[in-house]
Amino acid sequence: MPGPNAARRNERSRRAILTAALELLAETSYPDLTVEAIAARAGVGKQTIYRWWRGKGGVILEALVDATDADGEPRLPDTGDLGADLRTVLRAIVAEFADPRLSATTRALTIETLADDTLAAQVRDQILRPQLDAVKVRLRAGQDAGQVRTDVDLDQVVELLVGPVYHRWLLRTGPLTDDYADGLVALALAATSPPERPG
Amino acid sequence: MPGPNAARRNERSRRAILTAALELLAETSYPDLTVEAIAARAGVGKQTIYRWWRGKGGVILEALVDATDADGEPRLPDTGDLGADLRTVLRAIVAEFADPRLSATTRALTIETLADDTLAAQVRDQILRPQLDAVKVRLRAGQDAGQVRTDVDLDQVVELLVGPVYHRWLLRTGPLTDDYADGLVALALAATSPPERPG
Amino acid sequence: MPGPNAARRNERSRRAILTAALELLAETSYPDLTVEAIAARAGVGKQTIYRWWRGKGGVILEALVDATDADGEPRLPDTGDLGADLRTVLRAIVAEFADPRLSATTRALTIETLADDTLAAQVRDQILRPQLDAVKVRLRAGQDAGQVRTDVDLDQVVELLVGPVYHRWLLRTGPLTDDYADGLVALALAATSPPERPG
Amino acid sequence: MPGPNAARRNERSRRAILTAALELLAETSYPDLTVEAIAARAGVGKQTIYRWWRGKGGVILEALVDATDADGEPRLPDTGDLGADLRTVLRAIVAEFADPRLSATTRALTIETLADDTLAAQVRDQILRPQLDAVKVRLRAGQDAGQVRTDVDLDQVVELLVGPVYHRWLLRTGPLTDDYADGLVALALAATSPPERPG
DNA sequence: AACTAAACGAGACGGTACGTCGAGTCTTCAG
DNA sequence: CTGAAGACTCGACGTACCGTCTCGTTTAGTT
């Protein structure tokens, strides 16, 4: 995307920068994370960072995208039991937010996102959307199987599941546990289960 | 709370600082808001800010608390129609997040909150909790009136309403409209309405 | 000289301030000596210092004048042996400059003097002049006794004795010893002894 | 001497800083001279000053050394007439101290010198010593020519000439004129002329 | 295999803001 | 109604990073 000739890019430096950034993020808070420190830790000139990224936000984003891509396309299990499948994925999400190590990058990106619309769009499209869509796909399968009403907006249902977790994590209004995840799934299913068919 | 003798505090300076902070926040992004600028705008020495607050985060918090307190105890309407009442409040919340002016302070506090647990707790208890509790009170009234199942955790229901809005606002995954608010209320009601009583 | 009614002045505070100033001067370098510290040490409000003095320079001056006055009018010995008397006084001066404790105040006043003409005049007239004049008086007695030429400016001779000491002390160009003092006296006497009277 | 790589140093910035410092010193008193003002006047970041100097004292020192070096090795005239030569140089020294513009830097360095031993040593060795030595050289020539006694310490004689000037300048005890300079030379010569040779 | 141009490490640069310190002034309150 | 205590405005301090800008030095990809 940027001006310089990407073909000549030093992959070793790129990896060192991403690694250093994640390491430092695990050691300090995000506002205390500096481009200078990343460059020093990576054994790299500052210019090499600014040549390829717009700042620390971009570096963190790419680090996270890299990590996510390694997992391949996210795909939810489909055991036929919609509730069980949703519980599985929501428990995983809750666990990720509860883990201070894993949530450090999320926290970092959230901060940067609040002030930088460009970055926000990238985070949304490259990281968040695929994960939300995976849930949505599973819900659609539930619709097809008659377990979910057909007159609901599936995007909204996804947010009904994920939004409260995000809210609770950011604002620390309560514990992030498996029970909490299960409760959310129960509520979401209750909200979207089709009306009883009269005999 | 801090060291200096609060009795000798200059109320004029305090007000000038809070006002200046809110003004500047409306003019620039939060990361561009500096203590130096607040002091200059307020016609106050920087030391007077650092004497009473720990940084710009604390100032914004107090400014917002002040503004909130002025409104008095938040109290939801109770017209007897639970759905209508919830739509009213959720539309208000959505409108607030959609208004760039109003959401600037919220955005600012959210950023600071992500890196400062002390501040996070203050925001939660002094600003957020009262608002959430107001919704909760209305829901409990709904429970008493038999409009809401008695076996649900009302805190969780509140989050079911507010969490998705917060999620959508922060991550910009969709528009914040009245329709969206109404849809959330419909889902929440469907999730919590008591089972049909057989005739 | 100052505005406030001197009659109402609190002598206890005045003494406490002067004492605190001298104590602190012995503990830290002069630029590190602050009005704030003096006030704190003396158990006095800052205003009480600014009410009666123009700053730390004035305080130090008064402290030194006070100390000097206690010694009464300086008077050089007159044993009839001009050389011996001058050696006595010059050795004392050299010793005072060589003593780090005693020279701290002198150093402090000199600094302040360099930037404040008013203070410089006070130092000159209240502290320095009496000391120089005492030497001058002894030299005049020498003149009367025919030991000193009558065609020399005695002020200049005094400076001939004291100037080099001051120079050496300030610029640290050599040791300040009794031998050095004696050498200066010898040179000064040689410069001012009357011509041989032909038999 | 400092940490950073001197080879990469920007000579333009260095010159701008020294020039700005001298300009500002001519405009304000030394205590009112701030690093911030020097940086602003020089169009330079403050860090660039602190990177290469320890503070304003060091800057002034280097500015003065630079100016002095430009003059090359100081060398006193030797016309054969010792008295005339000494009068020439002492009149020059007196004139320099009497000139408010020229004495501003001297005054500044003296202040800093009083509180910083490291700087004092630099001033002594790099600025003062060469000037004093030049006088000493001329005196030694006088000794060789039989105009000065061989049993006097020439360093002491130099101080006999310069010390009183310094003293009078600092303490403002009298005017700094050519007559004063001539009088000092006369006294010094009288103090050091060899005894009459009996015919 | 030498040439050339870009990316690289290093780090100095002009800046901005930080959080602290002290100056000198102004206000409050106890004796 | 003085004077201690100390909060106030102001402005400089010295530091930390920002993002830009040279410097030589690798390191590719031509020629």
Side-chain angles (χ1 to χ4, degrees), chain A residues 7-8 32-36 46-47 50 54-56:
Chain A
R8 285 181 164 275
D32 291 351
L33 174 67
T34 67
V35 172
E36 216 137 58
K46 277 199 293 178
Q47 192 62 248
Y50 285 111
R54 286 196 300 115
K56 62 178 179 174

Side-chain angles (χ1 to χ4, degrees), chain C residues 90-91 94-95 98 165 168 174-184:
Chain C
L90 217 62
R91 284 180 175 210
V94 160
V165 178
R168 183 168 278 209
L176 291 167
T177 62
D178 283 352
D179 279 355
Y180 176 64
D182 294 351
L184 280 177

Side-chain angles (χ1 to χ4, degrees), chain C residues 56-139:
Chain C
K56 62 179 179 176
V59 174
I60 294 294
L61 169 64
E62 185 162 332
L64 207 50
V65 168
D66 253 38
T68 305
D69 282 359
D71 303 348
E73 279 291 282
R75 185 96 209 160
L76 252 62
D78 187 343
T79 63
D81 181 343
L82 178 61
D85 290 350
L86 289 178
R87 275 191 292 277
T88 301
V89 67
L90 217 62
R91 284 180 175 210
I93 292 175
V94 160
E96 188 179 321
F97 280 124
D99 177 355
R101 185 64 69 107
L102 288 176
S103 71
T105 44
T106 308
R107 179 167 268 120
L109 273 180
T110 303
I111 292 179
E112 205 73 12
T113 264
L114 281 165
D116 182 341
D117 281 339
T118 309
L119 199 66
Q122 292 178 298
V123 169
R124 190 206 320 123
D125 297 336
Q126 296 178 36
I127 298 190
L128 195 65
R129 182 65 67 202
Q131 297 179 353
L132 298 182
D133 280 349
V135 178
K136 191 170 161 191
V137 164
R138 181 64 189 84
L139 285 170

Side-chain angles (χ1 to χ4, degrees), chain D residues 8 33-37 46-47 50 56:
Chain D
R8 289 182 169 274
L33 174 67
T34 67
V35 173
E36 214 137 27
K46 275 198 291 178
Q47 196 61 45
Y50 285 111
K56 61 179 178 175

Side-chain angles (χ1 to χ4, degrees), chain C residues 115, chain D residues 24-25 27-38 56 108 111:
Chain D
L24 287 166
L25 197 55
E27 295 168 17
T28 67
S29 79
Y30 181 69
D32 290 352
L33 174 67
T34 67
V35 173
E36 214 137 27
I38 296 174
K56 61 179 178 175
I111 292 179

Side-chain angles (χ1 to χ4, degrees), chain B residues 8 33-36 46-47 50:
Chain B
R8 290 179 174 265
L33 174 66
T34 67
V35 173
E36 214 136 23
K46 275 199 292 179
Q47 196 60 49
Y50 286 110

Side-chain angles (χ1 to χ4, degrees), chain A residues 33-134:
Chain A
L33 174 67
T34 67
V35 172
E36 216 137 58
I38 296 174
R41 170 78 63 108
V44 140
K46 277 199 293 178
Q47 192 62 248
T48 301
I49 294 182
Y50 285 111
R51 187 175 301 120
W52 303 107
W53 292 278
R54 286 196 300 115
K56 62 178 179 174
V59 174
I60 294 295
L61 169 63
E62 185 162 332
L64 205 53
V65 168
D66 254 39
T68 305
D69 282 359
D71 303 347
E73 278 292 282
R75 186 94 207 159
L76 254 60
D78 186 344
T79 64
D81 181 344
L82 179 61
D85 290 350
L86 289 178
R87 273 190 293 275
T88 301
V89 67
L90 217 63
R91 284 180 174 210
I93 292 174
V94 161
E96 188 179 321
F97 279 124
D99 176 357
R101 187 65 69 108
L102 288 175
S103 69
T105 44
T106 308
R107 177 168 270 118
L109 275 179
T110 303
I111 292 178
E112 204 74 11
T113 264
L114 281 165
D116 182 341
D117 281 340
T118 310
L119 200 67
Q122 290 178 299
V123 169
R124 190 206 320 123
D125 297 336
Q126 295 177 36
I127 297 189
L128 194 66
R129 181 66 66 202
Q131 296 179 353
L132 299 182
D133 280 350

